[in-house]
Amino acid sequence: MVWGSNGGFKSCDSILSRVENDESKLKELVILPMKTFGKEEVERLAKILMSGKNHNLKSISASGHSVPSSALAKLGAALKSHNGINHIAIGDENMGDEGVISFCSELKDVNGGTLETLDLTFKSISKEGAKIIGEVFASSENLKSLLLYRN
């Protein structure tokens, strides 16, 4: 598990470098809300996952970060090509339906991919966002836990 250090108190540079270098002990990425993890960082993570450089990362916990829909779409697309991520918690209370739709729509072709746990707690999701979540994961053989508290 990596909590983040170096590169300044709020920087995620060292964490993302470790993901990019595919450190064998790095299985779970936890990015606390006090860290900077927005568009640039999420797009960098998506690029790393899409490149095929990382084979060890299994979990991404990054709730409490404001991430634009465009970056969420790129992360969703990256999860289609990365066959190892089984848990993800991403976004903040401003994510809303737009962010959920951007993220989940990318996973539609693969029925949620390898995700076993999707945590979208406190993301301001309405019926519209819930509908796409249901469509994507209705036929998923992997999804075991869908967390939608406080929406």
Side-chain angles (χ1 to χ4, degrees), residues 13-26 44 48 51-57:
D13 186 60
S14 67
I15 299 169
L16 294 174
S17 292
R18 291 180 66 189
V19 173
E20 190 168 30
N21 292 329
D22 195 24
E23 290 188 15
S24 61
K25 293 183 181 180
L26 180 63
R44 180 177 172 192
I48 293 166
S51 74
K53 290 181 182 179
N54 184 285
H55 304 283
N56 293 301
L57 190 63

Side-chain angles (χ1 to χ4, degrees), residues 121-147:
T121 299
F122 195 42
K123 306 296 186 255
S124 302
I125 302 168
S126 72
K127 288 179 184 178
E128 185 179 356
K131 181 180 177 190
I132 189 76
I133 294 167
E135 289 173 5
V136 171
F137 293 102
S139 58
S140 174
E141 294 180 13
N142 296 315
L143 190 69
K144 296 176 180 134
S145 179
L146 177 59
L147 305 173

Side-chain angles (χ1 to χ4, degrees), residues 12-92:
C12 283
D13 186 60
S14 67
I15 299 169
L16 294 174
S17 292
R18 291 180 66 189
V19 173
E20 190 168 30
N21 292 329
D22 195 24
E23 290 188 15
S24 61
K25 293 183 181 180
L26 180 63
K27 308 282 185 207
E28 183 177 359
L29 180 65
V30 177
I31 302 177
L32 300 176
M34 78 235 349
K35 296 288 187 183
T36 301
F37 195 69
K39 181 181 188 296
E40 182 179 310
E41 293 79 13
V42 172
E43 288 180 354
R44 180 177 172 192
L45 176 60
K47 186 176 179 182
I48 293 166
L49 296 177
M50 288 183 92
S51 74
K53 290 181 182 179
N54 184 285
H55 304 283
N56 293 301
L57 190 63
K58 303 294 180 207
S59 175
I60 301 168
S61 295
S63 283
H65 298 278
S66 181
V67 180
S69 296
S70 60
L72 289 167
K74 289 179 182 179
L75 184 59
L79 293 181
K80 283 196 294 193
S81 62
H82 189 282
N83 291 325
I85 304 296
N86 56 36
H87 166 88
I88 190 161
I90 189 85
D92 69 357

Side-chain angles (χ1 to χ4, degrees), residues 99-119:
V100 169
I101 290 167
S102 295
F103 178 73
C104 288
S105 292
E106 290 296 329
L107 295 170
K108 209 169 190 176
D109 302 352
V110 292
N111 297 322
T114 59
L115 283 178
E116 294 175 8
T117 303
L118 176 61
D119 184 348

